[in-house]
Amino acid sequence: MTPEAFNMFFSICIGFALAGALANGYQALSQRPAGFGLLQEGVAPRTFAAVPFLVFAAPFIIMRNTLRGMRVESRRFEFVMMATVIAGFWSMMSGTFFMMTLRAAGVLA
């Protein structure tokens, strides 16, 4: 495995871990699962605060909704695969941003 491939794999793992931690932390505090419905509460400070949260929690929310839809609605394999690729790419991007932030802060070498 090349160092670049290992770095991207690590970014995907960090992105999914961060997304899961954020979504589960939100659910523990608010007693309801996080979802994209947070953006439909109208123009309010709460809605604007939900945007950065959803940017990093989206991979977990996408996969949770996809897997639930696969069981409940019997979604087709193609839809599930497409959602998995989108969530993986999104996770890679958010993990890369998180890793770059840790490097800039001096936490990582």
Side-chain angles (χ1 to χ4, degrees), residues 26 30 32-33 35-50 54:
Y26 177 84
S30 68
R32 65 183 182 122
F36 294 110
L38 293 171
L39 297 174
Q40 297 177 350
E41 296 179 5
V43 179
R46 175 185 243 172
T47 304
F48 291 112
L54 288 174

Side-chain angles (χ1 to χ4, degrees), residues 65-93:
N65 292 346
T66 300
L67 295 175
R68 184 180 297 150
M70 187 176 72
R71 282 182 291 177
V72 174
E73 300 173 4
S74 300
R75 290 185 180 161
R76 294 183 6 205
F77 173 77
E78 294 86 4
F79 178 78
V80 174
M81 183 54 106
M82 182 180 63
T84 303
V85 168
I86 290 170
F89 184 74
W90 197 324
S91 176
M92 183 179 67
M93 291 295 111

